[in-house]
Amino acid sequence: MGSPLTEPGREGRYVGSEIPHRVGLTRPYYLAINEVTQDEYQIVTGSSPSGHSPGGEKADTVATLKTGRLPVEMVSWNDAQEFCKRLSALPGEQQRSYRLPTEAEWEFACRAGTVEATYVGNELTSDSGNFAGTVPYQSSTVGPFLKRPTTVGTYPPNPFGLYDMIGNVAEWCEDTYDYGVNYYADSPRNDPLNTVGVKRVRRGGGFDAAGQYQRSATRYNEAPTFRDYRLGFPSVYKTCENPKTLPRKRR
C-alpha cells in the first residue's frame, strides 16, 4: 500500500498518509464488478437519494439519460452501512455477509497487481476513466470531461476485471481515518482495519477530480454522516466462512 515519496501528485501536508508498506490479505473476499448503482440502491432500500437522477439537485445534467445504471451518490458512510445490512438480510442472501471493503482490500482491488501510480501506468487520461480530462495525470493529452457520473462499466476494467476503480464517484471504505503515519504505516501486517477516530476513509477520485486524485494510493476522509453528489460507495464486498457458497461473479 502507499506510494513512493517521488510519485507526482502527492500533496505535501498529506505525505505521511501514503507511506509505502507491505500488507497481507489472508481472508478471501468477493467484489461485484461495478459500483453500486441507483437501481440497486432503490431495490434494496426503497429510496433514491442521488443528485444525478430525475428528482435530484443535478437533474439537469442527466436530463436525457436513463440514470438507473449510474452509480448511486449522496449516500453517507452510515447509509452505505445500512444498505449492506439490508442486502445481507434479503431472502437468499443469509449465507453471505455484505460490507464495505477495508482500505487495504480496496487498494489491492484497485491496483490489481500493478505497482505504478494507476493501474494503467504512470500516465493517465480520461480515456481510461470518468474524471476531469482537462487535467490529465503526467500526460499532455487532454481528454473528455463529462462533469457528471456515467453508466457503470463504460470504461475499460482494470486487470482484475473491475470497473470504475478510476473516476466516476469516490468510494467509502470501512476504516476510520488517521492522517498521521502511526496507523497507516505501522498497522498490523495482515488484514488491517483502522478503528481509531470518527472520520471514515474514502478512496478513488470522482468525475470532477483531476488526474492526480485518481492515483491508486490517494486517500481522504469525511465524517460518517457526510453526503455529496460526487461520493458513493464501491461494489459491495462479500465474505463468508465458506467461499464455495458464493458465485464467482455477481453484479
Side-chain angles (χ1 to χ4, degrees):
M1 295 182 70
S3 63
L5 290 173
T6 56
E7 184 169 292
R10 268 175 161 250
E11 296 189 7
R13 65 191 175 107
Y14 303 143
V15 165
S17 76
E18 293 185 18
I19 288 180
H21 60 288
R22 289 190 174 274
V23 172
L25 298 176
T26 67
R27 299 188 293 264
Y29 63 96
Y30 285 73
L31 176 62
I33 61 176
N34 299 317
E35 294 167 323
V36 174
T37 67
Q38 293 184 23
D39 276 352
E40 290 164 343
Y41 195 86
Q42 171 78 39
I43 290 169
V44 172
T45 69
S47 63
S48 181
S50 296
H52 296 89
S53 66
E57 63 180 75
K58 299 290 183 178
D60 59 316
T61 68
V62 292
T64 62
L65 302 177
K66 293 182 178 179
T67 63
R69 293 289 293 164
L70 268 59
V72 69
E73 21 85 8
M74 289 298 290
V75 285
S76 68
W77 185 88
N78 291 335
D79 295 333
Q81 292 291 325
E82 181 64 19
F83 174 91
C84 293
K85 178 182 176 180
R86 292 192 186 193
L87 183 58
S88 298
L90 288 178
E93 302 291 349
Q94 287 83 355
Q95 289 184 327
R96 306 182 179 96
S97 177
Y98 292 80
R99 60 174 172 82
L100 294 177
T102 68
E103 187 175 11
E105 289 169 337
W106 188 95
E107 189 165 327
F108 176 76
C110 178
R111 289 188 177 279
T114 65
V115 296
E116 292 79 20
T118 77
Y119 59 75
V120 297
N122 289 319
E123 295 184 3
L124 180 67
T125 70
S126 57
D127 290 331
S128 297
N130 180 20
F131 69 92
T134 51
V135 192
Y137 180 71
Q138 296 298 107
S139 173
S140 60
T141 303
V142 173
F145 183 10
L146 300 183
K147 301 183 180 180
R148 58 165 174 78
T150 192
T151 303
V152 295
T154 296
Y155 294 84
N158 75 0
F160 280 175
L162 307 175
Y163 293 91
D164 299 312
M165 301 300 285
I166 290 174
N168 227 7
V169 293
E171 302 174 348
W172 288 111
C173 290
E174 187 72 18
D175 304 58
T176 53
Y177 191 99
D178 180 3
Y179 260 124
V181 300
N182 293 340
Y183 183 86
Y184 187 74
D186 301 327
S187 60
R189 171 65 182 269
N190 290 333
D191 306 311
L193 172 63
N194 193 0
T195 59
V196 177
V198 175
K199 290 189 174 182
R200 300 290 171 168
V201 172
R202 68 173 176 87
R203 298 295 299 260
F207 62 85
D208 64 349
Q212 74 179 75
Y213 303 109
Q214 315 300 327
R215 296 177 302 110
S216 299
T218 301
R219 322 168 57 225
Y220 292 99
N221 73 93
E222 305 291 353
T225 56
F226 179 78
R227 295 185 178 94
D228 190 87
Y229 60 87
R230 294 161 291 196
L231 177 59
F233 59 104
S235 307
V236 178
Y237 287 75
K238 311 165 182 61
T239 60
C240 67
E241 294 301 317
N242 180 11
K244 291 182 180 179
T245 65
L246 294 179
R248 290 189 177 272
K249 284 190 178 180
R250 181 185 177 97
R251 286 183 182 269

